[in-house]
Amino acid sequence: MSSPPSQPDCPITDLVSQCIQARTITQTQYQELTALVLADGTVDESERKQVNRLFDAIQGGRVKIVD
């Protein structure tokens, strides 16, 4: 399965990819993702796609939420 196109050196894409590869997301990573997405006060299309990519992985059981 190939990764979706992403912006080069995008911290949101990097974090989402790390979580999917590790198959887990921690509370700290969740807080970091939230801060990155909301940093500029808006959620653009590429940010939304990355968040949806992670949520789909969580819903599909491919990523587990851990403490």
Side-chain angles (χ1 to χ4, degrees), residues 10-12 14-16 18-19 25-39 54:
C10 175
I12 294 170
D14 292 343
L15 181 56
V16 169
Q18 286 172 13
C19 293
I25 183 169
T26 65
Q27 184 67 27
T28 301
Q29 288 171 315
Y30 172 79
Q31 290 171 346
E32 182 181 350
L33 179 62
T34 301
L36 288 168
V37 170
L38 299 177
L54 180 57

Side-chain angles (χ1 to χ4, degrees), residues 16-61:
V16 169
S17 294
Q18 286 172 13
C19 293
I20 291 173
Q21 185 174 7
R23 301 180 61 95
T24 61
I25 183 169
T26 65
Q27 184 67 27
T28 301
Q29 288 171 315
Y30 172 79
Q31 290 171 346
E32 182 181 350
L33 179 62
T34 301
L36 288 168
V37 170
L38 299 177
D40 61 0
T42 63
V43 180
D44 67 25
E45 183 68 15
S46 66
E47 291 169 339
R48 187 186 61 75
K49 284 181 181 179
Q50 291 305 312
V51 170
N52 284 343
R53 180 176 160 224
L54 180 57
F55 286 166
D56 288 347
I58 292 168
Q59 282 189 312

